[in-house]
Amino acid sequence: MQRCVPFNMGVRRGQVAFAGTLVAANFAPFRFSSTFAFPALEAPEITWTEPCAHYGHRFHSKKLPEGLRYCREFITSAEEDGLDQLLSDGPWLRHIKSRAQQFFGLVYYETTHELPALQPSHPHAENEARPLQDVPDWLMQRVFATGVFPRNEVNQVAANEYLDRAGISSHVEEPTSFGPNLATLSMLSPVEMTLTPAEEDLHGRDGLDHGNWVKILLEPRSLLLLQGESRYGFRHGIRRSKLVRLADGQQLRRGPGYRRVSLTFRELLPSRRQLAVGASGRPT
C-alpha cells in the first residue's frame, strides 16, 4: 500500500536535477544530468506535508508513527548548492565503510568504542570536528523555527555522504546519548528511509523483508523530524536497495553517479563524554 502526494520530477526554477537512472514503468530508462537550474530567489516557507509512504504487508496500522513530520523544499536549490560547497571545504572522514562523515560541534559516533577516532577520549579527536559556527546561521535559525528544539539545544550537526547503493543499518538513536528530538535535512538525491517497530525481531538480518515496516520517501531539500513514538518506538535505516520508489510511481536506480548528502541536527546529552569545539576549531 502506498500513500503520497505527487511530486513533480521535472527540473524547475529553484531545483536541482537528480543524479541516477530513472526507471519508468513500461518505458526505457533515462539518465538525469547533474546540471543546476536557476537558483531560487526567496527562502521557502515551512509547511508540513504528508510524505510519500508505503507499507509492508504486516504493518497493520497503515499510518505514520506519531511524532514524524515532513517538510518538502525546506531549503532552496541555491541554498542546497551552498551547503554542498560548505561540505566540500572540509575533510570527509572515512572511518565508516558504508559512508563518509563530517561533524560540526560535539564529536560522538554511536558505535561506542569500535571507532576510537570518533570518541572524545581519542588524542586526535579535536581534529575530527568542525566548529558548530561553520553551519550557516540562516540554516540553524530555520531549523529552530520549526519548534522541534524548544531550547535551541542542537550541539551536533552530523553530515553523511551516501554514494552508489550505500545505506545505514536499522537503529534507534541511543537514548542515553542523544536527546528526544532529531531533524534530518536531505540533499541532492532521493532515498527511502525504512522505519521498523523497535520490538520487531530482525533475527540478526537487517535486510530481511519481514513486512512490518513503513518506507518514507526523503526528497532532496526536505526536512524530516522524529520525536516521540517515531524517535523511540521505531528503528530507522536506509537499505542498500537498487531502486528508489518515487512519488509519481516511477523508480530511480541507485548506482554509479548516485550521491545523497544529509545533515542531522541533534543534542548530544551530558551523559556521554563530549568534546566541544569552539569558533577557533580548538577544544573548549
Side-chain angles (χ1 to χ4, degrees):
M1 178 178 178
Q2 179 168 343
R3 180 179 64 194
C4 61
V5 178
F7 179 70
N8 188 350
M9 283 293 299
V11 179
R12 306 191 305 271
R13 184 179 181 84
Q15 290 193 334
V16 178
F18 300 137
T21 302
L22 184 68
V23 183
N26 302 321
F27 291 92
F30 64 92
R31 187 168 296 278
F32 283 114
S33 73
S34 59
T35 305
F36 283 95
F38 292 102
L41 299 179
E42 296 180 0
E45 296 182 359
I46 299 175
T47 303
W48 304 111
T49 60
E50 186 167 328
C52 180
H54 64 281
Y55 303 88
H57 66 278
R58 291 184 53 235
F59 196 85
H60 301 301
S61 71
K62 297 298 185 289
K63 64 180 182 180
L64 296 176
E66 178 272 326
L68 187 152
R69 286 189 287 168
Y70 184 79
C71 177
R72 288 186 174 87
E73 300 296 335
F74 184 74
I75 61 172
T76 68
S77 68
E79 292 166 343
E80 178 183 47
D81 188 19
L83 291 172
D84 192 29
Q85 181 60 51
L86 169 70
L87 294 172
S88 70
D89 292 340
W92 284 103
L93 308 177
R94 305 286 174 178
H95 301 294
I96 307 298
K97 182 179 179 180
S98 62
R99 63 195 185 279
Q101 297 177 302
Q102 289 189 43
F103 292 93
F104 297 84
L106 301 185
V107 176
Y108 178 68
Y109 185 66
E110 200 172 324
T111 54
T112 317
H113 293 282
E114 295 177 13
L115 293 170
L118 297 184
Q119 306 303 318
S121 59
H122 192 273
H124 301 296
E126 70 268 20
N127 298 323
E128 302 290 356
R130 300 175 62 176
L132 189 61
Q133 292 87 342
D134 279 3
V135 179
D137 183 67
W138 63 263
L139 179 58
M140 297 298 292
Q141 294 305 317
R142 196 174 302 172
V143 170
F144 292 149
T146 66
V148 69
F149 298 102
R151 296 177 286 106
N152 294 1
E153 65 267 30
V154 172
N155 55 21
Q156 184 193 75
V157 178
N160 286 280
E161 180 186 52
Y162 299 87
L163 304 177
D164 300 336
R165 291 172 54 199
I168 182 170
S169 298
S170 178
H171 65 285
V172 176
E173 301 287 350
E174 189 178 347
T176 60
S177 297
F178 298 107
N181 310 305
L182 304 173
T184 295
L185 175 65
S186 295
M187 299 188 291
L188 304 181
S189 295
V191 79
E192 287 182 293
M193 173 177 282
T194 301
L195 282 83
T196 304
E199 67 272 13
E200 179 70 29
D201 188 353
L202 302 182
H203 302 286
R205 297 174 57 190
D206 190 52
L208 179 68
D209 189 2
H210 44 72
N212 190 14
W213 46 256
V214 54
K215 293 184 179 180
I216 306 296
L217 177 63
L218 304 182
E219 297 156 318
R221 299 174 297 281
S222 67
L223 186 75
L224 176 74
L225 304 184
L226 298 179
Q227 299 174 291
E229 180 188 32
S230 63
R231 158 70 172 96
Y232 294 108
F234 282 77
R235 299 186 186 98
H236 60 273
I238 296 173
R239 295 182 175 178
R240 298 184 70 254
S241 306
K242 293 181 180 179
L243 300 176
V244 178
R245 188 182 310 190
L246 303 176
D248 60 3
Q250 299 185 82
Q251 292 181 316
L252 180 75
R253 187 181 301 277
R254 299 170 68 195
Y258 175 93
R259 178 171 178 256
R260 172 180 174 264
V261 172
S262 67
L263 293 175
T264 297
F265 302 78
R266 54 194 178 187
E267 176 191 15
L268 182 59
L269 298 175
S271 56
R272 304 304 298 182
R273 289 179 298 168
Q274 302 173 359
L275 173 70
V277 178
S280 64
R282 305 299 298 175
T284 60

